[in-house]
Amino acid sequence: FLLVFDFDETIVDENSDESIVRAAPGQALPEHLRQTFRQGSYNEYMQRVLAYMGEQGVTMGDFKAVYEAIPLSPGMPELFQFLSKHQELFEVILISDANVFGIESKLRAAGSYSLFRKVFSNPSGFDKRGYFTLGPYHSHKCLECPSNMCKRKILAEYLAERAREEVEFERVLYVGDGANDFCPAAALSAPDVAFPRKGYPMHRLAQEMEKKQPGAFQATLVPWESAVEVARYLQELLKK
């Protein structure tokens, strides 16, 4: 099985881009900076936020401490425990519009980094001045997704690459929450399973699609409030 995770509000219980503001002076951003946000250009907005924080003297250690302290979502430790017991049955990857440094910091702190075969996220690092820098992941032609990342494209390319390496998956299982997780989930086929977080955009969009065009959303939909429910479903799947 290929198991795909989102990061923000899926593995962790917050949006990590918003969490890092806790490292800013007064734990807040100036209003003029917040006003520069434009729909669909979130990555560019975050580049400006990080430049501002760098100017304010926020260091790599400060960012790392914030990422490490972000709480995991309910049931996520149990799901990770289940996966570490069954590593030979699941290939696990992460596709996230956050950034590589933040994700790796959190996963290492949680002791779960080794579960993931690959992390796909926006490139990030620290420049000569010690400023935290961020770039876009790629460019794409999808009209539904932010300009820097289409998760459907990343997943399709990954499946094609694994197929060339003669790895075929019995099913694709996708755990997410956001509108950008709906895009790849809508491309899944009948044996696959989508696990949207209950009441979040991915769940809502899947329900709307089902209402408008019954049968158009092909994957089995398994909403969750606690990741323990995901673990339970996977356990049943292994019994089949």
Side-chain angles (χ1 to χ4, degrees), residues 39-43 97 138 140 142-151 179-180:
Q39 202 61 43
S41 305
Y42 194 71
N43 186 266
D97 199 4
H138 61 186
H140 60 83
C142 175
L143 301 173
E144 304 300 317
C145 288
S147 60
N148 64 300
M149 179 174 284
C150 170
K151 294 184 175 189
N180 63 355

mmCIF file of all heavy atoms in Angstrom, residues 39-43 97 138 140 142-151 179-180:
data_model
loop_
_atom_site.group_PDB
_atom_site.id
_atom_site.type_symbol
_atom_site.label_atom_id
_atom_site.label_comp_id
_atom_site.label_asym_id
_atom_site.label_seq_id
_atom_site.Cartn_x
_atom_site.Cartn_y
_atom_site.Cartn_z
ATOM 1 N N GLN A 39 -4.622 35.586 -2.333
ATOM 2 C CA GLN A 39 -5.120 34.223 -2.571
ATOM 3 C C GLN A 39 -4.305 33.537 -3.670
ATOM 4 O O GLN A 39 -4.070 34.133 -4.714
ATOM 5 C CB GLN A 39 -6.597 34.308 -2.998
ATOM 6 C CG GLN A 39 -7.405 33.035 -2.778
ATOM 7 C CD GLN A 39 -7.466 32.617 -1.313
ATOM 8 O OE1 GLN A 39 -7.653 33.435 -0.434
ATOM 9 N NE2 GLN A 39 -7.277 31.331 -1.064
ATOM 10 N N GLY A 40 -3.869 32.301 -3.425
ATOM 11 C CA GLY A 40 -3.125 31.546 -4.448
ATOM 12 C C GLY A 40 -1.630 31.840 -4.451
ATOM 13 O O GLY A 40 -0.873 31.209 -5.176
ATOM 14 N N SER A 41 -1.198 32.856 -3.666
ATOM 15 C CA SER A 41 0.238 33.209 -3.626
ATOM 16 C C SER A 41 0.773 33.108 -2.203
ATOM 17 O O SER A 41 1.550 33.952 -1.758
ATOM 18 C CB SER A 41 0.454 34.630 -4.155
ATOM 19 O OG SER A 41 -0.102 34.755 -5.433
ATOM 20 N N TYR A 42 0.356 32.077 -1.493
ATOM 21 C CA TYR A 42 0.710 31.935 -0.087
ATOM 22 C C TYR A 42 2.222 31.747 0.105
ATOM 23 O O TYR A 42 2.814 32.286 1.038
ATOM 24 C CB TYR A 42 -0.046 30.735 0.513
ATOM 25 C CG TYR A 42 0.002 30.711 2.017
ATOM 26 C CD1 TYR A 42 -0.713 31.646 2.760
ATOM 27 C CD2 TYR A 42 0.774 29.781 2.701
ATOM 28 C CE1 TYR A 42 -0.662 31.648 4.150
ATOM 29 C CE2 TYR A 42 0.830 29.775 4.078
ATOM 30 C CZ TYR A 42 0.108 30.708 4.799
ATOM 31 O OH TYR A 42 0.173 30.711 6.163
ATOM 32 N N ASN A 43 2.837 30.988 -0.813
ATOM 33 C CA ASN A 43 4.271 30.716 -0.719
ATOM 34 C C ASN A 43 5.073 32.024 -0.763
ATOM 35 O O ASN A 43 5.990 32.228 0.035
ATOM 36 C CB ASN A 43 4.680 29.771 -1.858
ATOM 37 C CG ASN A 43 6.135 29.308 -1.779
ATOM 38 O OD1 ASN A 43 7.009 29.915 -2.388
ATOM 39 N ND2 ASN A 43 6.393 28.243 -1.044
ATOM 40 N N ASP A 97 2.501 21.545 1.555
ATOM 41 C CA ASP A 97 2.802 22.908 1.108
ATOM 42 C C ASP A 97 3.476 23.715 2.217
ATOM 43 O O ASP A 97 3.532 24.935 2.151
ATOM 44 C CB ASP A 97 1.508 23.595 0.642
ATOM 45 C CG ASP A 97 1.785 24.803 -0.242
ATOM 46 O OD1 ASP A 97 2.966 25.052 -0.557
ATOM 47 O OD2 ASP A 97 0.828 25.516 -0.611
ATOM 48 N N HIS A 138 7.443 23.657 -7.334
ATOM 49 C CA HIS A 138 7.524 23.474 -8.794
ATOM 50 C C HIS A 138 6.515 24.418 -9.458
ATOM 51 O O HIS A 138 5.853 25.198 -8.778
ATOM 52 C CB HIS A 138 7.244 22.013 -9.197
ATOM 53 C CG HIS A 138 5.877 21.511 -8.824
ATOM 54 N ND1 HIS A 138 5.481 20.200 -8.995
ATOM 55 C CD2 HIS A 138 4.788 22.133 -8.275
ATOM 56 C CE1 HIS A 138 4.226 20.056 -8.577
ATOM 57 N NE2 HIS A 138 3.798 21.208 -8.138
ATOM 58 N N HIS A 140 3.184 24.336 -12.382
ATOM 59 C CA HIS A 140 2.223 23.357 -12.907
ATOM 60 C C HIS A 140 1.102 24.095 -13.621
ATOM 61 O O HIS A 140 1.041 25.327 -13.590
ATOM 62 C CB HIS A 140 1.656 22.519 -11.745
ATOM 63 C CG HIS A 140 0.957 23.355 -10.721
ATOM 64 N ND1 HIS A 140 -0.347 23.756 -10.860
ATOM 65 C CD2 HIS A 140 1.388 23.908 -9.547
ATOM 66 C CE1 HIS A 140 -0.690 24.504 -9.823
ATOM 67 N NE2 HIS A 140 0.342 24.619 -9.018
ATOM 68 N N CYS A 142 -2.276 23.219 -13.139
ATOM 69 C CA CYS A 142 -3.559 22.957 -12.476
ATOM 70 C C CYS A 142 -4.199 24.272 -12.040
ATOM 71 O O CYS A 142 -3.558 25.098 -11.383
ATOM 72 C CB CYS A 142 -3.335 22.057 -11.263
ATOM 73 S SG CYS A 142 -4.830 21.792 -10.286
ATOM 74 N N LEU A 143 -5.462 24.455 -12.395
ATOM 75 C CA LEU A 143 -6.140 25.722 -12.079
ATOM 76 C C LEU A 143 -6.699 25.748 -10.664
ATOM 77 O O LEU A 143 -7.089 26.792 -10.153
ATOM 78 C CB LEU A 143 -7.270 25.965 -13.087
ATOM 79 C CG LEU A 143 -6.821 26.032 -14.559
ATOM 80 C CD1 LEU A 143 -8.022 26.113 -15.486
ATOM 81 C CD2 LEU A 143 -5.876 27.212 -14.789
ATOM 82 N N GLU A 144 -6.727 24.568 -10.026
ATOM 83 C CA GLU A 144 -7.338 24.476 -8.692
ATOM 84 C C GLU A 144 -6.347 24.775 -7.563
ATOM 85 O O GLU A 144 -6.738 25.048 -6.446
ATOM 86 C CB GLU A 144 -7.910 23.062 -8.461
ATOM 87 C CG GLU A 144 -8.912 22.595 -9.510
ATOM 88 C CD GLU A 144 -10.127 23.497 -9.610
ATOM 89 O OE1 GLU A 144 -10.644 23.900 -8.563
ATOM 90 O OE2 GLU A 144 -10.533 23.813 -10.754
ATOM 91 N N CYS A 145 -5.049 24.646 -7.851
ATOM 92 C CA CYS A 145 -4.046 24.642 -6.782
ATOM 93 C C CYS A 145 -3.227 25.928 -6.732
ATOM 94 O O CYS A 145 -3.147 26.648 -7.721
ATOM 95 C CB CYS A 145 -3.113 23.441 -6.979
ATOM 96 S SG CYS A 145 -3.944 21.889 -6.579
ATOM 97 N N PRO A 146 -2.592 26.211 -5.573
ATOM 98 C CA PRO A 146 -1.720 27.389 -5.497
ATOM 99 C C PRO A 146 -0.575 27.263 -6.497
ATOM 100 O O PRO A 146 -0.186 26.147 -6.864
ATOM 101 C CB PRO A 146 -1.206 27.374 -4.055
ATOM 102 C CG PRO A 146 -1.488 26.012 -3.533
ATOM 103 C CD PRO A 146 -2.653 25.480 -4.304
ATOM 104 N N SER A 147 -0.027 28.403 -6.933
ATOM 105 C CA SER A 147 0.928 28.412 -8.052
ATOM 106 C C SER A 147 2.194 27.600 -7.796
ATOM 107 O O SER A 147 2.840 27.143 -8.728
ATOM 108 C CB SER A 147 1.311 29.856 -8.378
ATOM 109 O OG SER A 147 1.903 30.460 -7.225
ATOM 110 N N ASN A 148 2.552 27.390 -6.527
ATOM 111 C CA ASN A 148 3.822 26.719 -6.223
ATOM 112 C C ASN A 148 3.710 25.212 -6.033
ATOM 113 O O ASN A 148 4.716 24.528 -5.908
ATOM 114 C CB ASN A 148 4.425 27.306 -4.943
ATOM 115 C CG ASN A 148 3.522 27.043 -3.737
ATOM 116 O OD1 ASN A 148 2.375 27.466 -3.706
ATOM 117 N ND2 ASN A 148 4.017 26.319 -2.758
ATOM 118 N N MET A 149 2.476 24.671 -5.973
ATOM 119 C CA MET A 149 2.357 23.235 -5.695
ATOM 120 C C MET A 149 1.001 22.654 -6.082
ATOM 121 O O MET A 149 -0.034 23.126 -5.634
ATOM 122 C CB MET A 149 2.590 22.945 -4.202
ATOM 123 C CG MET A 149 2.442 21.466 -3.849
ATOM 124 S SD MET A 149 2.890 21.071 -2.138
ATOM 125 C CE MET A 149 4.673 21.145 -2.233
ATOM 126 N N CYS A 150 1.049 21.613 -6.921
ATOM 127 C CA CYS A 150 -0.141 20.792 -7.171
ATOM 128 C C CYS A 150 0.197 19.388 -6.686
ATOM 129 O O CYS A 150 1.075 18.715 -7.228
ATOM 130 C CB CYS A 150 -0.494 20.761 -8.655
ATOM 131 S SG CYS A 150 -1.783 19.538 -9.024
ATOM 132 N N LYS A 151 -0.501 18.959 -5.640
ATOM 133 C CA LYS A 151 -0.201 17.658 -5.038
ATOM 134 C C LYS A 151 -0.582 16.500 -5.961
ATOM 135 O O LYS A 151 0.039 15.443 -5.918
ATOM 136 C CB LYS A 151 -0.917 17.526 -3.692
ATOM 137 C CG LYS A 151 -0.403 18.514 -2.641
ATOM 138 C CD LYS A 151 -1.064 18.269 -1.303
ATOM 139 C CE LYS A 151 -0.492 19.164 -0.216
ATOM 140 N NZ LYS A 151 -0.983 18.793 1.110
ATOM 141 N N ALA A 179 -8.056 21.849 0.875
ATOM 142 C CA ALA A 179 -8.521 21.888 -0.512
ATOM 143 C C ALA A 179 -7.428 21.352 -1.447
ATOM 144 O O ALA A 179 -7.720 20.711 -2.452
ATOM 145 C CB ALA A 179 -8.898 23.319 -0.894
ATOM 146 N N ASN A 180 -6.155 21.610 -1.098
ATOM 147 C CA ASN A 180 -5.075 21.107 -1.966
ATOM 148 C C ASN A 180 -4.867 19.599 -1.806
ATOM 149 O O ASN A 180 -4.136 18.985 -2.575
ATOM 150 C CB ASN A 180 -3.775 21.892 -1.754
ATOM 151 C CG ASN A 180 -3.212 21.765 -0.356
ATOM 152 O OD1 ASN A 180 -3.827 21.153 0.527
ATOM 153 N ND2 ASN A 180 -2.048 22.345 -0.129
#
